[in-house]
Amino acid sequence: MTNTLDTDVLIVGAGPVGLTLAMDLAQRGIKVTVAEIRRYAEPPNVKCNHVSARTMEQFRRLGVAGKLRQAGLPEDYPNDVVFRTSMTGVELTRIPIPCRRDRYTETVGPDTGWPTPEPPHRINQIYLEPILLEHAAAQSGVTLLNRTQVLDISQASDGVEASLLDINTNTQRKLRARYLVGCDGGSSGVRKQMGAKLEGTAVIQRVQSTFIRAPKLRAMLPGRPAWCYYSVNPRRCGTVFAIDGHDTWLVHNHLNAEEPEFDSVDRDQSIRDILGVGPDFEYEVISKEDWVGRRLVANRFRNGNVFIAGDAAHLWVPYAGYGMNAGIADATNLAWLLAARLQGWADESMLDAYEAERQPITEQVSYFVMDHAQKMIKARRAVPPNIEAEDADGAAARALIGQEAYELNVQQFCCAGLNFGYFYSGSPIMVTDEEQPPGYTMGGFTPSTVPGCRAPHFWLDDGRSLYDVLGAGYTLLRFNDSVDAAPLIAAAKAARLPLQVIDLQGQSAVPEAYRHKLVLCRSDQHVVWRGDQVPVKPEQLVDILRGVRRQQLKLAA
C-alpha cells in the first residue's frame, strides 16, 4: 500500500451508527468518507423508535440534540406505554412517560427526574436519520458516496484499500484509508471479510411486523393516547407504535414457537385482532418490516485497521430500545480512539480499548434483553382465556395481568440502569482502584466515579451541564483547588495528550459520588482515573491514557 491516503477513515454504511461516527470524527478534525448503497436521503426502514438518554447526551455534544427534540411525535403527544386487551379495548395498565414538550419539566412518574441534561426522546428512525444525515453532510471533512458498494478490502500495516462499485455507472475504483469501520448492518460484508463471526442465539422470536396507515384509528382509541400499545388477548398478542401521532402505526405481531415462518399466520386477521377492529375497518399496508429477534455478538470487533460497530457487531431483540443506541455507543467510543491515534498523541495499541470496552458490555446487554424477551414470550403464552369477560373473574384477571405487565416492563421503558449504570472494566486505558463498580441492572443504578463508570452528571452553578465543559480529550475535574495539578499538566503537554482542568470547588450541586479531590474523565464522560493528589510519576498515568503503557498494579500517589 502507498502512503497516499484518500481519507483518514472509511465508514461503510450511512445509517444512524455510521452517521454518528462520521459526525464525531469530523468534529475532531478527521477526514471521513462514508460509502452507502442507498441514494442520498433515501428513506430508511421503520426501525428504531427510541433514542436513549445516553445517546442524547452524545448528540448534545455533537450539536444535534436540539434538532432531534423538535422532530418525531407532536410535542404534546403522550409517550406513555399502555397495555390493553386490544389496542381499542380495555386498559390493563399504563406506564406514564412525558411528551417531548414536558420532558424537562415533568416531575411525576417513573420516567422523570433523569440525572442528565438530555432525557430520552421517542422518535422513529424515519425522522431521526434524515436529521443526522443533514448534520453529517454539513460537516467539513465528511464525503458521502451514495449508491456505492464496498466490494472487498485488503489490509497493510499502514492502512486499508477498498474496492468500491458505483452502482449507477457500474464502474469500480480503489479508495485508500488509514482505518475502515463497518457500520453495514446485521449482514455486514465488512464483518465477514475481517473474519469475525456472530455467536449466540440465532433465533429467539420471529415478529411479523407491518407499517400501516390508518387515519380512522386514533379516533377509536379510548382514553389518553400512547406512544406504545401492547395488545394482550387469547387470539393475538402484539405491540403497536405510534409513528407520526396521527395516521401511521407500526404493528408487531409476535409469532409463537409453533409459528416458525412469517406467513405462518394470517397477517390481516392478526392486525385486526391486535387493533381490536372488525372486518370493515380500513387500513393501508405501507410496508412489511418482518424481523427476527436474536442474541448474537461478534467474537471480535477489530482486525488490524478494520473495525465493526452497531448491528454489524451485535444483534438482539430491541427491548429497552437498545439496538440502535448500543451501536451509537460503539460509534462514540471508537470515534475518539481513532481521532486520538490520527491526531498523533496516542499509540496504536490504544485502539485495543475499543474491543476491550465495547464487546463485554454488549455481551452483557444482550443477555439483559434476551432474558426480558423470554419473560415476555412466557407472559404472552399465559394470557387467561377470560381476560375480556365482563364479570368479576374477568376483572380480576385483567387486574393481575396489568400488575404483572407494569412490574415487568417499567424497567425497560424507564431504564436508568441501562443508560447510566454500565461501566468499562478491563480497559487498557483506565486506571482501576480497589473499589468495585456498582452492579449493572436494567432498571436502576448507583452513581459512581469508579474508573470505567459514567461520571455522574450535575449542573454547574452558572447553569451549564458538567458535560458541556468537558474537553475533546481528557478533562481533570478538580474539586479542591489547593491540589497541585501542575505535574500532570506538564506530563500531558510533554506527550501532546490533550488535557484541560476544570476547577469545581464550591459548586453547590456536586453529587456525593465525587469523594476524591481529582477525577479524570474522557470526552465520552467515562472516568479513567481518580485520586486525592497527582501520582508521583504522572508520566506513567499519561502513558496509560494514550495506550503506551499497560496499567501496573497500582499507581503511586
Side-chain angles (χ1 to χ4, degrees), residues 50 53 79-81 95-99 102-104 106-114 119-122 227 406 410-416 419:
H50 172 69
N79 286 185
D80 296 0
V81 176
I95 302 171
I97 299 174
C99 62
D102 301 334
R103 246 311 173 187
Y104 295 98
E106 183 63 66
T107 58
V108 178
D111 202 50
T112 62
W114 288 76
H121 181 46
R122 265 74 185 181
W227 160 68
Y406 185 94
V410 69
Q411 62 179 318
Q412 71 147 319
F413 290 109
C414 311
C415 50
N419 273 266

PDB file of all heavy atoms in Angstrom, residues 50 53 79-81 95-99 102-104 106-114 119-122 227 406 410-416 419:
ATOM      1  N   HIS A  50     -36.799   4.826  19.493  1.00  0.00           N
ATOM      2  CA  HIS A  50     -36.406   5.421  20.764  1.00  0.00           C
ATOM      3  C   HIS A  50     -34.936   5.807  20.742  1.00  0.00           C
ATOM      4  O   HIS A  50     -34.084   5.041  20.302  1.00  0.00           O
ATOM      5  CB  HIS A  50     -36.648   4.397  21.885  1.00  0.00           C
ATOM      6  CG  HIS A  50     -36.125   4.799  23.229  1.00  0.00           C
ATOM      7  ND1 HIS A  50     -36.676   5.817  23.959  1.00  0.00           N
ATOM      8  CD2 HIS A  50     -35.096   4.321  23.972  1.00  0.00           C
ATOM      9  CE1 HIS A  50     -36.009   5.943  25.104  1.00  0.00           C
ATOM     10  NE2 HIS A  50     -35.042   5.054  25.127  1.00  0.00           N
ATOM     11  N   ALA A  53     -31.318   8.212  26.670  1.00  0.00           N
ATOM     12  CA  ALA A  53     -30.714   9.386  27.296  1.00  0.00           C
ATOM     13  C   ALA A  53     -29.211   9.412  27.051  1.00  0.00           C
ATOM     14  O   ALA A  53     -28.627  10.475  26.790  1.00  0.00           O
ATOM     15  CB  ALA A  53     -31.003   9.387  28.798  1.00  0.00           C
ATOM     16  N   ASN A  79     -46.029  10.080  25.535  1.00  0.00           N
ATOM     17  CA  ASN A  79     -45.112   8.984  25.212  1.00  0.00           C
ATOM     18  C   ASN A  79     -45.404   7.743  26.047  1.00  0.00           C
ATOM     19  O   ASN A  79     -44.553   6.850  26.174  1.00  0.00           O
ATOM     20  CB  ASN A  79     -43.670   9.425  25.440  1.00  0.00           C
ATOM     21  CG  ASN A  79     -43.154  10.385  24.373  1.00  0.00           C
ATOM     22  OD1 ASN A  79     -41.982  10.755  24.388  1.00  0.00           O
ATOM     23  ND2 ASN A  79     -44.005  10.816  23.447  1.00  0.00           N
ATOM     24  N   ASP A  80     -46.610   7.655  26.612  1.00  0.00           N
ATOM     25  CA  ASP A  80     -46.997   6.556  27.500  1.00  0.00           C
ATOM     26  C   ASP A  80     -46.888   5.199  26.814  1.00  0.00           C
ATOM     27  O   ASP A  80     -46.972   5.085  25.586  1.00  0.00           O
ATOM     28  CB  ASP A  80     -48.442   6.731  27.967  1.00  0.00           C
ATOM     29  CG  ASP A  80     -48.656   7.971  28.817  1.00  0.00           C
ATOM     30  OD1 ASP A  80     -47.681   8.709  29.053  1.00  0.00           O
ATOM     31  OD2 ASP A  80     -49.804   8.214  29.231  1.00  0.00           O
ATOM     32  N   VAL A  81     -46.746   4.176  27.651  1.00  0.00           N
ATOM     33  CA  VAL A  81     -46.852   2.781  27.218  1.00  0.00           C
ATOM     34  C   VAL A  81     -48.090   2.214  27.906  1.00  0.00           C
ATOM     35  O   VAL A  81     -48.210   2.288  29.131  1.00  0.00           O
ATOM     36  CB  VAL A  81     -45.610   1.973  27.617  1.00  0.00           C
ATOM     37  CG1 VAL A  81     -45.780   0.505  27.247  1.00  0.00           C
ATOM     38  CG2 VAL A  81     -44.368   2.559  26.951  1.00  0.00           C
ATOM     39  N   ILE A  95     -47.868   2.878  31.756  1.00  0.00           N
ATOM     40  CA  ILE A  95     -46.610   3.450  32.218  1.00  0.00           C
ATOM     41  C   ILE A  95     -46.546   4.876  31.675  1.00  0.00           C
ATOM     42  O   ILE A  95     -46.366   5.064  30.469  1.00  0.00           O
ATOM     43  CB  ILE A  95     -45.405   2.631  31.722  1.00  0.00           C
ATOM     44  CG1 ILE A  95     -45.506   1.178  32.207  1.00  0.00           C
ATOM     45  CG2 ILE A  95     -44.089   3.259  32.184  1.00  0.00           C
ATOM     46  CD1 ILE A  95     -44.480   0.247  31.584  1.00  0.00           C
ATOM     47  N   PRO A  96     -46.721   5.877  32.531  1.00  0.00           N
ATOM     48  CA  PRO A  96     -46.756   7.258  32.031  1.00  0.00           C
ATOM     49  C   PRO A  96     -45.360   7.767  31.680  1.00  0.00           C
ATOM     50  O   PRO A  96     -44.414   7.606  32.456  1.00  0.00           O
ATOM     51  CB  PRO A  96     -47.341   8.040  33.207  1.00  0.00           C
ATOM     52  CG  PRO A  96     -46.970   7.240  34.418  1.00  0.00           C
ATOM     53  CD  PRO A  96     -46.954   5.800  33.980  1.00  0.00           C
ATOM     54  N   ILE A  97     -45.230   8.353  30.502  1.00  0.00           N
ATOM     55  CA  ILE A  97     -43.970   8.917  30.027  1.00  0.00           C
ATOM     56  C   ILE A  97     -44.277  10.287  29.428  1.00  0.00           C
ATOM     57  O   ILE A  97     -45.177  10.403  28.598  1.00  0.00           O
ATOM     58  CB  ILE A  97     -43.303   7.997  28.977  1.00  0.00           C
ATOM     59  CG1 ILE A  97     -42.994   6.620  29.598  1.00  0.00           C
ATOM     60  CG2 ILE A  97     -42.037   8.630  28.417  1.00  0.00           C
ATOM     61  CD1 ILE A  97     -42.464   5.608  28.609  1.00  0.00           C
ATOM     62  N   PRO A  98     -43.569  11.329  29.819  1.00  0.00           N
ATOM     63  CA  PRO A  98     -43.917  12.680  29.372  1.00  0.00           C
ATOM     64  C   PRO A  98     -43.794  12.860  27.858  1.00  0.00           C
ATOM     65  O   PRO A  98     -42.952  12.239  27.202  1.00  0.00           O
ATOM     66  CB  PRO A  98     -42.893  13.571  30.093  1.00  0.00           C
ATOM     67  CG  PRO A  98     -42.384  12.746  31.225  1.00  0.00           C
ATOM     68  CD  PRO A  98     -42.436  11.330  30.757  1.00  0.00           C
ATOM     69  N   CYS A  99     -44.634  13.729  27.318  1.00  0.00           N
ATOM     70  CA  CYS A  99     -44.488  14.147  25.929  1.00  0.00           C
ATOM     71  C   CYS A  99     -43.222  14.996  25.818  1.00  0.00           C
ATOM     72  O   CYS A  99     -42.668  15.460  26.827  1.00  0.00           O
ATOM     73  CB  CYS A  99     -45.704  14.937  25.467  1.00  0.00           C
ATOM     74  SG  CYS A  99     -45.980  16.487  26.381  1.00  0.00           S
ATOM     75  N   ASP A 102     -42.936  18.348  27.639  1.00  0.00           N
ATOM     76  CA  ASP A 102     -42.804  18.360  29.096  1.00  0.00           C
ATOM     77  C   ASP A 102     -41.595  17.565  29.590  1.00  0.00           C
ATOM     78  O   ASP A 102     -41.451  17.352  30.792  1.00  0.00           O
ATOM     79  CB  ASP A 102     -44.076  17.775  29.732  1.00  0.00           C
ATOM     80  CG  ASP A 102     -45.326  18.551  29.339  1.00  0.00           C
ATOM     81  OD1 ASP A 102     -45.206  19.747  29.029  1.00  0.00           O
ATOM     82  OD2 ASP A 102     -46.418  17.947  29.351  1.00  0.00           O
ATOM     83  N   ARG A 103     -40.710  17.163  28.683  1.00  0.00           N
ATOM     84  CA  ARG A 103     -39.620  16.274  29.054  1.00  0.00           C
ATOM     85  C   ARG A 103     -38.712  16.854  30.151  1.00  0.00           C
ATOM     86  O   ARG A 103     -38.227  16.138  31.009  1.00  0.00           O
ATOM     87  CB  ARG A 103     -38.771  15.968  27.824  1.00  0.00           C
ATOM     88  CG  ARG A 103     -38.811  14.513  27.354  1.00  0.00           C
ATOM     89  CD  ARG A 103     -38.579  13.587  28.474  1.00  0.00           C
ATOM     90  NE  ARG A 103     -38.775  12.172  28.117  1.00  0.00           N
ATOM     91  CZ  ARG A 103     -38.745  11.221  29.015  1.00  0.00           C
ATOM     92  NH1 ARG A 103     -38.593  11.512  30.283  1.00  0.00           N
ATOM     93  NH2 ARG A 103     -38.915   9.974  28.679  1.00  0.00           N
ATOM     94  N   TYR A 104     -38.492  18.159  30.111  1.00  0.00           N
ATOM     95  CA  TYR A 104     -37.561  18.760  31.060  1.00  0.00           C
ATOM     96  C   TYR A 104     -38.239  19.258  32.339  1.00  0.00           C
ATOM     97  O   TYR A 104     -37.566  19.618  33.300  1.00  0.00           O
ATOM     98  CB  TYR A 104     -36.824  19.929  30.406  1.00  0.00           C
ATOM     99  CG  TYR A 104     -35.932  19.525  29.257  1.00  0.00           C
ATOM    100  CD1 TYR A 104     -36.367  19.641  27.937  1.00  0.00           C
ATOM    101  CD2 TYR A 104     -34.657  19.024  29.481  1.00  0.00           C
ATOM    102  CE1 TYR A 104     -35.551  19.267  26.880  1.00  0.00           C
ATOM    103  CE2 TYR A 104     -33.833  18.654  28.433  1.00  0.00           C
ATOM    104  CZ  TYR A 104     -34.293  18.780  27.127  1.00  0.00           C
ATOM    105  OH  TYR A 104     -33.482  18.410  26.086  1.00  0.00           O
ATOM    106  N   GLU A 106     -41.555  17.845  33.684  1.00  0.00           N
ATOM    107  CA  GLU A 106     -42.412  16.888  34.386  1.00  0.00           C
ATOM    108  C   GLU A 106     -41.638  16.216  35.519  1.00  0.00           C
ATOM    109  O   GLU A 106     -40.484  15.809  35.351  1.00  0.00           O
ATOM    110  CB  GLU A 106     -42.926  15.831  33.405  1.00  0.00           C
ATOM    111  CG  GLU A 106     -43.890  14.818  34.024  1.00  0.00           C
ATOM    112  CD  GLU A 106     -45.163  15.458  34.530  1.00  0.00           C
ATOM    113  OE1 GLU A 106     -45.954  15.965  33.708  1.00  0.00           O
ATOM    114  OE2 GLU A 106     -45.347  15.455  35.773  1.00  0.00           O
ATOM    115  N   THR A 107     -42.263  16.111  36.666  1.00  0.00           N
ATOM    116  CA  THR A 107     -41.592  15.524  37.840  1.00  0.00           C
ATOM    117  C   THR A 107     -42.326  14.311  38.399  1.00  0.00           C
ATOM    118  O   THR A 107     -41.808  13.659  39.312  1.00  0.00           O
ATOM    119  CB  THR A 107     -41.464  16.574  38.956  1.00  0.00           C
ATOM    120  OG1 THR A 107     -42.768  17.052  39.313  1.00  0.00           O
ATOM    121  CG2 THR A 107     -40.595  17.739  38.512  1.00  0.00           C
ATOM    122  N   VAL A 108     -43.503  14.003  37.882  1.00  0.00           N
ATOM    123  CA  VAL A 108     -44.298  12.895  38.404  1.00  0.00           C
ATOM    124  C   VAL A 108     -44.241  11.723  37.432  1.00  0.00           C
ATOM    125  O   VAL A 108     -44.446  11.888  36.233  1.00  0.00           O
ATOM    126  CB  VAL A 108     -45.760  13.317  38.624  1.00  0.00           C
ATOM    127  CG1 VAL A 108     -46.592  12.129  39.116  1.00  0.00           C
ATOM    128  CG2 VAL A 108     -45.838  14.470  39.614  1.00  0.00           C
ATOM    129  N   GLY A 109     -43.956  10.528  37.947  1.00  0.00           N
ATOM    130  CA  GLY A 109     -43.939   9.337  37.109  1.00  0.00           C
ATOM    131  C   GLY A 109     -42.579   8.672  37.097  1.00  0.00           C
ATOM    132  O   GLY A 109     -41.570   9.266  37.482  1.00  0.00           O
ATOM    133  N   PRO A 110     -42.532   7.414  36.653  1.00  0.00           N
ATOM    134  CA  PRO A 110     -41.286   6.634  36.721  1.00  0.00           C
ATOM    135  C   PRO A 110     -40.241   7.039  35.688  1.00  0.00           C
ATOM    136  O   PRO A 110     -39.091   6.619  35.791  1.00  0.00           O
ATOM    137  CB  PRO A 110     -41.771   5.203  36.452  1.00  0.00           C
ATOM    138  CG  PRO A 110     -42.990   5.385  35.589  1.00  0.00           C
ATOM    139  CD  PRO A 110     -43.657   6.632  36.099  1.00  0.00           C
ATOM    140  N   ASP A 111     -40.628   7.844  34.702  1.00  0.00           N
ATOM    141  CA  ASP A 111     -39.694   8.218  33.638  1.00  0.00           C
ATOM    142  C   ASP A 111     -39.358   9.707  33.702  1.00  0.00           C
ATOM    143  O   ASP A 111     -39.202  10.369  32.682  1.00  0.00           O
ATOM    144  CB  ASP A 111     -40.272   7.866  32.270  1.00  0.00           C
ATOM    145  CG  ASP A 111     -39.184   7.721  31.211  1.00  0.00           C
ATOM    146  OD1 ASP A 111     -38.214   6.999  31.468  1.00  0.00           O
ATOM    147  OD2 ASP A 111     -39.301   8.344  30.136  1.00  0.00           O
ATOM    148  N   THR A 112     -39.247  10.237  34.911  1.00  0.00           N
ATOM    149  CA  THR A 112     -38.885  11.635  35.104  1.00  0.00           C
ATOM    150  C   THR A 112     -37.696  11.723  36.070  1.00  0.00           C
ATOM    151  O   THR A 112     -37.300  10.718  36.659  1.00  0.00           O
ATOM    152  CB  THR A 112     -40.063  12.450  35.683  1.00  0.00           C
ATOM    153  OG1 THR A 112     -40.400  11.921  36.975  1.00  0.00           O
ATOM    154  CG2 THR A 112     -41.285  12.377  34.783  1.00  0.00           C
ATOM    155  N   GLY A 113     -37.153  12.922  36.207  1.00  0.00           N
ATOM    156  CA  GLY A 113     -36.058  13.114  37.138  1.00  0.00           C
ATOM    157  C   GLY A 113     -34.762  12.463  36.710  1.00  0.00           C
ATOM    158  O   GLY A 113     -33.930  12.104  37.552  1.00  0.00           O
ATOM    159  N   TRP A 114     -34.546  12.285  35.423  1.00  0.00           N
ATOM    160  CA  TRP A 114     -33.325  11.659  34.935  1.00  0.00           C
ATOM    161  C   TRP A 114     -32.117  12.523  35.307  1.00  0.00           C
ATOM    162  O   TRP A 114     -32.130  13.740  35.106  1.00  0.00           O
ATOM    163  CB  TRP A 114     -33.382  11.489  33.419  1.00  0.00           C
ATOM    164  CG  TRP A 114     -34.328  10.423  32.961  1.00  0.00           C
ATOM    165  CD1 TRP A 114     -35.694  10.525  32.915  1.00  0.00           C
ATOM    166  CD2 TRP A 114     -34.022   9.122  32.494  1.00  0.00           C
ATOM    167  NE1 TRP A 114     -36.235   9.362  32.438  1.00  0.00           N
ATOM    168  CE2 TRP A 114     -35.227   8.490  32.170  1.00  0.00           C
ATOM    169  CE3 TRP A 114     -32.821   8.437  32.307  1.00  0.00           C
ATOM    170  CZ2 TRP A 114     -35.276   7.183  31.682  1.00  0.00           C
ATOM    171  CZ3 TRP A 114     -32.874   7.142  31.808  1.00  0.00           C
ATOM    172  CH2 TRP A 114     -34.088   6.523  31.505  1.00  0.00           C
ATOM    173  N   PRO A 119     -32.727  13.913  28.724  1.00  0.00           N
ATOM    174  CA  PRO A 119     -33.542  12.705  28.922  1.00  0.00           C
ATOM    175  C   PRO A 119     -33.853  12.032  27.587  1.00  0.00           C
ATOM    176  O   PRO A 119     -33.539  12.576  26.525  1.00  0.00           O
ATOM    177  CB  PRO A 119     -34.810  13.252  29.594  1.00  0.00           C
ATOM    178  CG  PRO A 119     -34.845  14.699  29.243  1.00  0.00           C
ATOM    179  CD  PRO A 119     -33.429  15.137  29.101  1.00  0.00           C
ATOM    180  N   PRO A 120     -34.466  10.840  27.619  1.00  0.00           N
ATOM    181  CA  PRO A 120     -34.729  10.104  26.375  1.00  0.00           C
ATOM    182  C   PRO A 120     -35.671  10.865  25.445  1.00  0.00           C
ATOM    183  O   PRO A 120     -36.353  11.813  25.832  1.00  0.00           O
ATOM    184  CB  PRO A 120     -35.382   8.808  26.865  1.00  0.00           C
ATOM    185  CG  PRO A 120     -35.072   8.717  28.318  1.00  0.00           C
ATOM    186  CD  PRO A 120     -34.926  10.112  28.814  1.00  0.00           C
ATOM    187  N   HIS A 121     -35.697  10.399  24.202  1.00  0.00           N
ATOM    188  CA  HIS A 121     -36.563  11.023  23.197  1.00  0.00           C
ATOM    189  C   HIS A 121     -37.161   9.925  22.327  1.00  0.00           C
ATOM    190  O   HIS A 121     -36.431   9.092  21.779  1.00  0.00           O
ATOM    191  CB  HIS A 121     -35.754  11.998  22.352  1.00  0.00           C
ATOM    192  CG  HIS A 121     -36.545  12.709  21.296  1.00  0.00           C
ATOM    193  ND1 HIS A 121     -37.768  13.284  21.549  1.00  0.00           N
ATOM    194  CD2 HIS A 121     -36.279  12.948  19.981  1.00  0.00           C
ATOM    195  CE1 HIS A 121     -38.229  13.850  20.442  1.00  0.00           C
ATOM    196  NE2 HIS A 121     -37.346  13.650  19.482  1.00  0.00           N
ATOM    197  N   ARG A 122     -38.488   9.909  22.220  1.00  0.00           N
ATOM    198  CA  ARG A 122     -39.162   8.933  21.362  1.00  0.00           C
ATOM    199  C   ARG A 122     -39.292   9.513  19.956  1.00  0.00           C
ATOM    200  O   ARG A 122     -39.972  10.516  19.748  1.00  0.00           O
ATOM    201  CB  ARG A 122     -40.556   8.604  21.920  1.00  0.00           C
ATOM    202  CG  ARG A 122     -40.595   7.361  22.796  1.00  0.00           C
ATOM    203  CD  ARG A 122     -39.993   7.574  24.159  1.00  0.00           C
ATOM    204  NE  ARG A 122     -39.940   6.340  24.943  1.00  0.00           N
ATOM    205  CZ  ARG A 122     -39.473   6.252  26.173  1.00  0.00           C
ATOM    206  NH1 ARG A 122     -39.028   7.318  26.786  1.00  0.00           N
ATOM    207  NH2 ARG A 122     -39.439   5.104  26.799  1.00  0.00           N
ATOM    208  N   TRP A 227     -47.782   6.288  23.095  1.00  0.00           N
ATOM    209  CA  TRP A 227     -46.766   6.043  22.065  1.00  0.00           C
ATOM    210  C   TRP A 227     -46.702   4.558  21.721  1.00  0.00           C
ATOM    211  O   TRP A 227     -46.530   4.173  20.567  1.00  0.00           O
ATOM    212  CB  TRP A 227     -45.418   6.528  22.599  1.00  0.00           C
ATOM    213  CG  TRP A 227     -44.207   5.961  21.937  1.00  0.00           C
ATOM    214  CD1 TRP A 227     -43.789   6.199  20.647  1.00  0.00           C
ATOM    215  CD2 TRP A 227     -43.233   5.073  22.505  1.00  0.00           C
ATOM    216  NE1 TRP A 227     -42.619   5.513  20.399  1.00  0.00           N
ATOM    217  CE2 TRP A 227     -42.247   4.816  21.518  1.00  0.00           C
ATOM    218  CE3 TRP A 227     -43.085   4.485  23.770  1.00  0.00           C
ATOM    219  CZ2 TRP A 227     -41.156   3.993  21.756  1.00  0.00           C
ATOM    220  CZ3 TRP A 227     -41.987   3.673  24.006  1.00  0.00           C
ATOM    221  CH2 TRP A 227     -41.041   3.429  23.011  1.00  0.00           C
ATOM    222  N   TYR A 406     -46.951  -4.233  34.288  1.00  0.00           N
ATOM    223  CA  TYR A 406     -46.289  -2.997  34.735  1.00  0.00           C
ATOM    224  C   TYR A 406     -44.947  -3.320  35.388  1.00  0.00           C
ATOM    225  O   TYR A 406     -43.917  -2.721  35.057  1.00  0.00           O
ATOM    226  CB  TYR A 406     -47.190  -2.241  35.717  1.00  0.00           C
ATOM    227  CG  TYR A 406     -46.614  -0.895  36.132  1.00  0.00           C
ATOM    228  CD1 TYR A 406     -46.981   0.259  35.458  1.00  0.00           C
ATOM    229  CD2 TYR A 406     -45.693  -0.798  37.179  1.00  0.00           C
ATOM    230  CE1 TYR A 406     -46.456   1.496  35.831  1.00  0.00           C
ATOM    231  CE2 TYR A 406     -45.147   0.424  37.548  1.00  0.00           C
ATOM    232  CZ  TYR A 406     -45.542   1.559  36.873  1.00  0.00           C
ATOM    233  OH  TYR A 406     -45.005   2.780  37.226  1.00  0.00           O
ATOM    234  N   VAL A 410     -41.821  -1.745  33.323  1.00  0.00           N
ATOM    235  CA  VAL A 410     -41.414  -0.390  33.685  1.00  0.00           C
ATOM    236  C   VAL A 410     -39.899  -0.260  33.636  1.00  0.00           C
ATOM    237  O   VAL A 410     -39.356   0.802  33.295  1.00  0.00           O
ATOM    238  CB  VAL A 410     -41.977   0.004  35.075  1.00  0.00           C
ATOM    239  CG1 VAL A 410     -41.311  -0.807  36.187  1.00  0.00           C
ATOM    240  CG2 VAL A 410     -41.810   1.500  35.319  1.00  0.00           C
ATOM    241  N   GLN A 411     -39.187  -1.351  33.910  1.00  0.00           N
ATOM    242  CA  GLN A 411     -37.727  -1.294  33.910  1.00  0.00           C
ATOM    243  C   GLN A 411     -37.149  -1.144  32.506  1.00  0.00           C
ATOM    244  O   GLN A 411     -36.057  -0.593  32.329  1.00  0.00           O
ATOM    245  CB  GLN A 411     -37.147  -2.539  34.557  1.00  0.00           C
ATOM    246  CG  GLN A 411     -37.488  -3.835  33.833  1.00  0.00           C
ATOM    247  CD  GLN A 411     -36.879  -5.051  34.482  1.00  0.00           C
ATOM    248  OE1 GLN A 411     -35.731  -5.019  34.900  1.00  0.00           O
ATOM    249  NE2 GLN A 411     -37.642  -6.127  34.581  1.00  0.00           N
ATOM    250  N   GLN A 412     -37.852  -1.617  31.484  1.00  0.00           N
ATOM    251  CA  GLN A 412     -37.296  -1.472  30.139  1.00  0.00           C
ATOM    252  C   GLN A 412     -37.653  -0.127  29.521  1.00  0.00           C
ATOM    253  O   GLN A 412     -36.904   0.395  28.689  1.00  0.00           O
ATOM    254  CB  GLN A 412     -37.718  -2.618  29.212  1.00  0.00           C
ATOM    255  CG  GLN A 412     -39.177  -2.613  28.784  1.00  0.00           C
ATOM    256  CD  GLN A 412     -39.369  -3.174  27.369  1.00  0.00           C
ATOM    257  OE1 GLN A 412     -38.579  -2.891  26.469  1.00  0.00           O
ATOM    258  NE2 GLN A 412     -40.424  -3.957  27.189  1.00  0.00           N
ATOM    259  N   PHE A 413     -38.767   0.458  29.917  1.00  0.00           N
ATOM    260  CA  PHE A 413     -39.136   1.750  29.341  1.00  0.00           C
ATOM    261  C   PHE A 413     -38.635   2.920  30.179  1.00  0.00           C
ATOM    262  O   PHE A 413     -38.589   4.051  29.695  1.00  0.00           O
ATOM    263  CB  PHE A 413     -40.655   1.830  29.152  1.00  0.00           C
ATOM    264  CG  PHE A 413     -41.153   0.926  28.063  1.00  0.00           C
ATOM    265  CD1 PHE A 413     -41.879  -0.214  28.356  1.00  0.00           C
ATOM    266  CD2 PHE A 413     -40.860   1.202  26.739  1.00  0.00           C
ATOM    267  CE1 PHE A 413     -42.320  -1.055  27.344  1.00  0.00           C
ATOM    268  CE2 PHE A 413     -41.298   0.368  25.717  1.00  0.00           C
ATOM    269  CZ  PHE A 413     -42.025  -0.767  26.020  1.00  0.00           C
ATOM    270  N   CYS A 414     -38.280   2.666  31.405  1.00  0.00           N
ATOM    271  CA  CYS A 414     -37.720   3.695  32.291  1.00  0.00           C
ATOM    272  C   CYS A 414     -36.387   3.154  32.812  1.00  0.00           C
ATOM    273  O   CYS A 414     -36.207   2.953  34.010  1.00  0.00           O
ATOM    274  CB  CYS A 414     -38.690   3.999  33.427  1.00  0.00           C
ATOM    275  SG  CYS A 414     -40.380   4.317  32.866  1.00  0.00           S
ATOM    276  N   CYS A 415     -35.457   2.927  31.891  1.00  0.00           N
ATOM    277  CA  CYS A 415     -34.273   2.101  32.175  1.00  0.00           C
ATOM    278  C   CYS A 415     -33.059   2.959  32.528  1.00  0.00           C
ATOM    279  O   CYS A 415     -32.087   3.021  31.774  1.00  0.00           O
ATOM    280  CB  CYS A 415     -33.971   1.195  30.993  1.00  0.00           C
ATOM    281  SG  CYS A 415     -33.925   2.056  29.398  1.00  0.00           S
ATOM    282  N   ALA A 416     -33.099   3.590  33.689  1.00  0.00           N
ATOM    283  CA  ALA A 416     -31.966   4.409  34.123  1.00  0.00           C
ATOM    284  C   ALA A 416     -30.694   3.573  34.251  1.00  0.00           C
ATOM    285  O   ALA A 416     -29.600   4.035  33.928  1.00  0.00           O
ATOM    286  CB  ALA A 416     -32.288   5.087  35.456  1.00  0.00           C
ATOM    287  N   ASN A 419     -29.045   2.917  30.902  1.00  0.00           N
ATOM    288  CA  ASN A 419     -28.459   4.150  30.375  1.00  0.00           C
ATOM    289  C   ASN A 419     -27.198   4.560  31.109  1.00  0.00           C
ATOM    290  O   ASN A 419     -26.166   4.851  30.504  1.00  0.00           O
ATOM    291  CB  ASN A 419     -29.471   5.289  30.459  1.00  0.00           C
ATOM    292  CG  ASN A 419     -30.387   5.360  29.260  1.00  0.00           C
ATOM    293  OD1 ASN A 419     -30.123   6.087  28.317  1.00  0.00           O
ATOM    294  ND2 ASN A 419     -31.463   4.589  29.289  1.00  0.00           N
TER     295      ASN A 419
END
